Amino acid sequence: MTEIPKTHPRYLSLVAREKVAAGVAKGFTSTQGLIAQGRGEAFDYLIGERTTPSAAEATRAAAAMLLHSRRPAISVNGNVAALMAEEMVALAKALNAPLEVNLFHRSEERVGRIADLLRFLGAEHVLGERPDAIVPGLDHARAKATSGGIYDADVVLIPLEDGDRCEALLAMGKKTIAIDLNPLSRTAVKATISIVDNVTRALPNLIAAIEELKRSSEGEIEEILASYDNRAALRMSLEEIKSTLSRG
Ligand code: ATP
Ligand code: MG
């Protein structure tokens, strides 16, 4: 990796870029993943490269929804594997939930490499290498899912997901939690809860919120879910972008 001085004003962003590029070199990430990262960086600039108040609220609601769910599942793609593999493993442990590798540009080799990486980092329940079910409404490769994982989950965490797949999971009656820096993406607009934040900030915040809410009562968790309004949170994230822009 290129050595980036810690004093660089955009250090974290540059490190993330290097990690995604390294993910391509190591065979976890597709070349299209570089484009997705670039798009994310642009939106991160617009939200001020920070966790905004609306993102913090969405993250707390997401923690409540994951704790409230009967069968949560976590989707892992090439960008997430390059950027946040350790945190994904920690999240799966905190929730006792499976990690399922699911790739937009599926290749069996990449699925295997990502699954091996997650297991190497200590994940106990890694799915995706032997899909046995189909999510209706998607073309064949993207529709592949696994029983006991995403296929029969009630809540699915989908960081950096495609809008079509988010919709197809919702059509199966599932709830979806997106992590997507673009508040205008179809994924963010459609998801049950949309965390408009960089996955590099959102995942540690989500794990911390889960640990905190584990000490709360069922009533408190239900209250957080009842008072959360995703449309209002998305509107707020657009307002946050406007205020970043008007600061000039
Ligand atoms: P749509 O949901 O409208 O179909 P898209 O699929 O066209 O959107 P892509 O470029 O395919 O968009 O997917 C990348 C999405 O992931 C973008 O919305 C981008 O903002 C988001 N993204 C990229 N990197 C990150 C990151 N590090 N953290 C969070 N979100 C990210
Ligand atoms: Mg897409």
Side-chain angles (χ1 to χ4, degrees):
M1 274 202 219
T2 312
E3 197 64 45
I4 301 161
K6 283 224 165 62
T7 51
H8 192 289
R10 302 194 52 259
Y11 176 76
L12 291 174
S13 171
L14 294 175
V15 168
R17 188 181 288 189
E18 289 295 323
K19 282 189 180 169
V20 178
V24 176
K26 290 181 197 157
F28 302 138
T29 312
S30 69
T31 48
Q32 288 88 343
L34 296 169
I35 298 169
Q37 172 67 16
R39 201 174 198 187
E41 283 181 11
F43 280 99
D44 209 3
Y45 228 104
L46 293 177
I47 66 169
E49 295 180 317
R50 68 196 163 116
T51 297
T52 63
S54 71
E57 202 186 317
T59 303
R60 198 170 156 77
M65 184 169 278
L66 286 163
L67 285 171
H68 196 62
S69 67
R70 281 175 298 105
R71 300 185 71 140
I74 304 166
S75 186
V76 181
N77 66 19
N79 283 55
V80 174
L83 285 170
M84 298 304 278
E86 279 174 33
E87 289 78 1
M88 288 308 256
V89 173
L91 178 66
K93 282 197 177 143
L95 292 168
N96 194 21
L99 293 168
E100 182 162 340
V101 183
N102 185 280
L103 305 179
F104 189 92
H105 301 279
R106 186 180 174 98
S107 95
E108 299 310 320
E109 192 187 340
R110 278 207 303 125
V111 172
R113 281 189 191 193
I114 295 172
D116 284 345
L117 171 69
L118 297 170
R119 281 188 289 258
F120 172 77
L121 293 171
E124 279 156 24
H125 198 183
V126 181
L127 302 170
E129 292 161 296
R130 283 175 297 280
D132 59 1
I134 288 289
V135 174
L138 295 174
D139 59 68
H140 189 71
R142 287 195 303 140
K144 288 183 174 178
T146 314
S147 315
I150 290 175
Y151 187 70
D152 29 35
D154 57 346
V155 175
V156 189
L157 177 71
I158 45 171
L160 282 68
E161 186 55 83
D162 169 51
D164 272 12
R165 185 151 169 271
C166 175
E167 283 187 65
L169 293 171
L170 290 166
M172 288 179 79
K174 301 177 192 306
K175 291 181 170 144
T176 58
I177 300 169
I179 303 175
D180 191 324
L181 278 160
N182 177 2
L184 299 169
S185 78
R186 280 183 305 142
T187 309
V189 171
K190 296 284 175 178
T192 317
I193 295 178
S194 315
I195 301 174
V196 180
D197 202 359
N198 201 312
V199 70
T200 57
R201 296 186 298 266
L203 274 185
N205 290 343
L206 183 60
I207 294 167
I210 287 167
E211 295 305 339
E212 184 209 321
L213 290 181
K214 271 184 182 171
R215 296 189 289 271
S216 305
S217 69
E218 192 63 20
E220 285 169 300
I221 286 177
E222 281 169 9
E223 173 57 34
I224 292 170
L225 288 173
S227 62
Y228 180 74
D229 177 345
N230 202 52
R231 276 169 169 266
L234 282 175
R235 270 198 305 274
M236 207 165 128
S237 66
L238 290 172
E239 290 302 322
E240 287 157 347
I241 288 175
K242 275 197 226 162
S243 73
T244 312
L245 292 174
S246 58
R247 272 205 304 273

